[in-house]
Amino acid sequence: MNLSSPSFKPNANIPSVHTCDGEDVSPALDWTDPPAATKSFALISDDPDAPSGSWVHWVIWNIPAEVRGLPENLPKKGALSDGTRQGANDFGRIGYGGPCPPSGTHRYTFRLYALDVALELPEGARKAHLERAMKAHVLSEAELMGKYHRS
């Protein structure tokens, strides 16, 4: 499985429109080649360089199996019309919260998981809840990393 973005290249800078210094909209993401048995996708985005440890920017699951990407500026609400659900990020909000490091350059990972089930989680669930629910259901995963710098 491969994960990419038309918004930024792997290991490159994430444009400010996707950060707290810009419009804070989610980047577009695309993926290819999921396993045939995929029933849904989940995605976790976090900053492993945050001063307090990994900082969660996005938790999203039950993306339908036939979907091959997310559009830019996905609505920041718990339930989307196609059954996709979003959880709370470490900013305490539902949906995407973009890069906003206190200073320096931080890395931001986007990890996509192909799952053999749709998950029974409430809107607003946190990363730890999603990880527990996904355990033993991950068929494949892919990662995309971008960077953002603040002075």
Side-chain angles (χ1 to χ4, degrees), residues 1-3 29-33 41 63 67-70 112:
M1 196 164 64
N2 296 302
L3 178 63
L29 297 171
D30 298 314
W31 55 87
T32 60
D33 305 320
F41 295 98
I63 302 165
V67 170
R68 294 295 177 268
L70 297 172
L112 179 73

Side-chain angles (χ1 to χ4, degrees), residues 1-144:
M1 196 164 64
N2 296 302
L3 178 63
S4 63
S5 175
S7 302
F8 63 95
K9 301 288 183 219
N11 303 311
N13 290 326
I14 296 171
S16 64
V17 67
H18 304 296
T19 74
C20 68
D21 294 324
E23 297 174 37
D24 203 23
V25 299
S26 61
L29 297 171
D30 298 314
W31 55 87
T32 60
D33 305 320
T38 300
K39 299 283 190 265
S40 71
F41 295 98
L43 182 116
I44 297 171
S45 178
D46 55 20
D47 170 4
D49 302 319
S52 60
S54 184
W55 185 268
V56 178
H57 287 265
W58 202 7
V59 179
I60 182 168
W61 66 94
N62 285 357
I63 302 165
E66 66 275 6
V67 170
R68 294 295 177 268
L70 297 172
E72 183 177 80
N73 197 17
L74 201 67
K76 295 179 182 185
K77 56 187 187 178
L80 303 179
S81 61
D82 66 358
T84 298
R85 298 289 181 262
Q86 296 188 89
N89 58 43
D90 281 348
F91 297 107
R93 299 187 300 260
I94 299 291
Y96 177 81
C100 197
S103 64
T105 301
H106 286 224
R107 297 168 296 152
Y108 297 88
T109 59
F110 294 80
R111 285 186 193 89
L112 179 73
Y113 302 89
L115 307 176
D116 64 2
V117 296
L119 300 173
E120 296 293 327
L121 284 173
E123 298 169 24
R126 307 284 264 173
K127 175 185 173 181
H129 299 115
L130 176 56
E131 288 177 329
R132 276 195 301 276
M134 289 191 314
K135 195 172 185 171
H137 294 290
V138 176
L139 299 171
S140 183
E141 60 184 89
E143 182 177 297
L144 172 66

